[in-house]
């Protein structure tokens, strides 16, 4: 590959030649051009592997940062910024073991209750839910839960379920 590149670089230097003398001139030009020695294939391979190694390290670092940021937590607002009685977002996905932080925002009091008929088989909804009587009454209060079983989980705010404050999380 390197010898092809050096031949391509040498060719433009002959563009000013006049085509006189026919095939003999072409032969004379062809015999006077000497290709540069090709670099050692081992050196090229080492350089290529070094470049690939640097690129791989950059990609691995970026992937690690992305995974770490995803593993931190999923934030869900209780009550929208404009005061609506909703979860924001109301439907989302998380990885198994990812922490979900429900943050009291507006329109409180709120709580987070997982529907016993809307969780994967074998999951005890009462163990991952707030008590229906336990309410967050101030902005910024939080309730956190980490879900490990894959599947869909339906949840609601008991004071505002009738107003449509419901949500769904899918654990992948």
């Amino acid at each position: 590959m390197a010898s092809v590149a050096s031949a391509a670089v040498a060719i433009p230097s002959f563009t000013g030649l006049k085509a006189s003398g026919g095939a003999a001139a072409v032969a004379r030009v062809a015999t006077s051009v000497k290709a540069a020695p090709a670099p050692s294939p081992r050196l090229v391979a080492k350089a290529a592997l070094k470049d690939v190694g640097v690129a791989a390290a950059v990609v691995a670092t970026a992937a690690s940062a992305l995974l770490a940021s995803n593993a931190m937590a999923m934030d869900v607002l209780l009550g929208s910024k404009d005061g609506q009685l909703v979860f924001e977002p109301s439907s989302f996905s998380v990885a198994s073991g990812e922490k979900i932080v429900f943050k009291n925002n507006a329109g409180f009091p709120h709580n987070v209750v997982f529907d016993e008929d809307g969780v994967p088989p074998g999951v005890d909804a009462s163990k991952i839910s707030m008590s229906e009587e336990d309410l967050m009454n101030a902005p910024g209060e939080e309730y956190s839960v980490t879900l490990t079983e894959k599947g869909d989980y339906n949840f609601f705010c008991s004071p505002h379920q009738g107003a449509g404050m419901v949500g769904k999380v899918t654990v992948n």
Side-chain angles (χ1 to χ4, degrees), residues 2-12 35:
S3 61
V4 171
S6 62
V9 172
I11 290 172

Side-chain angles (χ1 to χ4, degrees), residues 50-77:
K50 180 180 176 187
D51 292 342
V52 168
V54 170
V58 170
V59 169
T61 302
S64 296
L66 181 62
L67 290 174
S69 68
N70 284 344
M72 285 191 220
M74 171 69 184
D75 291 342
V76 180
L77 294 179

Side-chain angles (χ1 to χ4, degrees), residues 35-109:
S40 168
R42 284 184 288 202
L43 293 176
V44 172
K46 286 181 183 177
L49 290 176
K50 180 180 176 187
D51 292 342
V52 168
V54 170
V58 170
V59 169
T61 302
S64 296
L66 181 62
L67 290 174
S69 68
N70 284 344
M72 285 191 220
M74 171 69 184
D75 291 342
V76 180
L77 294 179
L78 282 74
S80 69
K81 294 175 184 172
D82 61 359
Q84 294 180 6
L85 298 174
V86 295
F87 290 98
E88 276 192 349
S90 62
S91 182
F92 55 94
S93 296
V94 296
S96 176
E98 184 176 349
K99 184 178 182 179
I100 303 167
V101 180
F102 293 92
K103 295 183 178 184
N104 206 18
N105 186 49
F108 33 84

Side-chain angles (χ1 to χ4, degrees), residues 135-159:
L135 301 172
M136 294 186 281
N137 289 302
E141 288 184 317
E142 296 180 350
Y143 173 71
S144 299
V145 64
T146 301
L147 305 174
T148 56
E149 293 296 320
K150 294 181 180 182
D152 293 331
Y153 294 73
N154 295 320
F155 56 90
F156 58 90
C157 169
S158 60

Side-chain angles (χ1 to χ4, degrees), residues 5 9 23 25-26 29 34 36 42 49 65 79 87 97 111 123 127 131 133 161-162 171-172:
V9 172
V26 172
V29 170
K34 293 185 180 179
R42 284 184 288 202
L49 290 176
F87 290 98
N111 64 3
V123 173
K127 291 185 179 180
S131 161
E133 296 80 29
Q161 181 180 15
V171 177
N172 298 313

Side-chain angles (χ1 to χ4, degrees), residues 113-129 132 151-156 161 167-169:
V113 178
F114 285 87
D115 184 350
E116 63 187 28
D117 295 325
V119 295
V123 173
D124 185 352
S126 66
K127 291 185 179 180
I128 57 174
S129 299
E132 290 197 37
D152 293 331
Y153 294 73
N154 295 320
F155 56 90
F156 58 90
Q161 181 180 15
K168 178 181 177 179
V169 57

